Amino acid sequence: MDLLLCNLTADVISAIFEDIHRVMRPQGIAIFSGILNTQVAGIQTMASSHVHSTLEIMSRGEWSSLVTRKINVG
């Protein structure tokens, strides 16, 4: 996939991140929302460990969204 939109809680994103990574094309964009502000750093760390760079983090109230790009390795 070139673009993936995930309005899911952090625990669900964590549970399926391997599958998200697998279906993303290199340079693909993933937008994760529905993440509590207190949990966004954990999702950002997980994305980074799967070679996704953070493009933007946005917050409103207690909620955050994270925009990442899958880095082309190789």
Side-chain angles (χ1 to χ4, degrees):
M1 298 186 162
D2 293 317
L3 177 64
L4 183 65
L5 305 172
C6 296
N7 185 24
L8 303 167
T9 59
D11 59 330
V12 175
I13 293 169
S14 296
I16 65 171
F17 202 90
E18 290 287 332
D19 293 322
I20 290 169
H21 177 73
R22 182 179 47 78
V23 302
M24 294 293 300
R25 289 187 176 150
Q27 302 301 311
I29 302 288
I31 302 171
F32 302 101
S33 62
I35 305 168
L36 290 169
N37 292 338
T38 58
Q39 298 172 321
V40 73
I43 299 299
Q44 185 178 17
T45 299
M46 181 186 327
S48 179
S49 73
H50 285 84
V51 198
H52 288 243
S53 63
T54 298
L55 301 178
E56 188 172 0
I57 298 174
M58 296 164 281
S59 297
R60 179 177 285 173
E62 66 183 305
W63 299 101
S64 288
S65 61
L66 175 67
V67 181
T68 68
R69 178 185 305 271
K70 183 177 180 180
I71 299 170
N72 189 11
V73 178

